[in-house]
Structures are given as C-alpha cells and as structure tokens.
Amino acid sequence: MEVVLAAVVLAALVAVLVLQPLRTPMAAEPADDRREDLEAAKEAKYREIKDAELDYRMGKISEADWRPLDAELRAQAIEILKQLDRLD
C-alpha cells in the first residue's frame, strides 16, 4: 500500500514538473517588443510630418523653416522603416 501511494505521489510530482512549462504564459519575444516600439515610432513620426505640413500650410511657419524640418522628419521616418525592414 505504501509503495502504491509513493508511486502515485511520484507520478503526480513528475506530471506537475513536466506540465509546468505549458501552464506558464510565454513572454513576448524581444523582436516582437522591438517591432511594436518601431511601429509606434513610425506612426508618431508620420503625425509629426503631417503636423509640420499643416503648420506650414496654415502659415504658422515659413517655407524656409518648414523645408529643413520636413527633410529631417522624413529622414527619421526612413530610418525607422529601415529598422523595421531589418527585423524581417
């Protein structure tokens, strides 16, 4: 009787240890986190470009100020897109 009880306890312990990885949720892959960050940065950069263009069209900033700002924002957006491509 004691041998059967010990075998059942041992089997339960082995089952818990073997099934433990299936019960714990897997953490997100670092690449997935990086992709989410880059996608958010891309969307934010697109908004910045649109906002700068709107400010120029509304006369809030001059063309002389807008052109270099637009070029810089677009260069930053291109760099973000390149980083996203490298993740693939």
Side-chain angles (χ1 to χ4, degrees), residues 59-60 62 71:
K60 291 182 179 180
S62 68

Side-chain angles (χ1 to χ4, degrees), residues 36-82:
E36 289 176 16
D37 292 344
L38 287 171
E39 289 289 343
K42 178 183 79 170
E43 294 303 318
K45 194 58 61 182
Y46 286 171
R47 278 192 303 275
E48 284 183 68
I49 292 169
K50 289 178 185 177
D51 289 345
E53 185 173 349
L54 182 62
D55 287 347
Y56 164 67
R57 292 187 183 277
M58 293 182 69
K60 291 182 179 180
I61 59 174
S62 68
E63 184 175 356
D65 291 336
W66 173 69
R67 290 238 179 247
L69 175 62
D70 185 62
E72 177 63 27
L73 291 173
R74 288 177 187 272
Q76 292 170 358
I78 289 170
E79 182 56 36
I80 292 168
L81 292 173
K82 286 179 181 178

Side-chain angles (χ1 to χ4, degrees), residues 28-41 79-80 83-84 86-87:
E29 294 290 324
D32 291 341
D33 291 343
R34 180 75 176 140
R35 176 172 298 286
E36 289 176 16
D37 292 344
L38 287 171
E39 289 289 343
E79 182 56 36
I80 292 168
Q83 290 177 23
L84 279 167
R86 283 190 288 257
L87 288 180

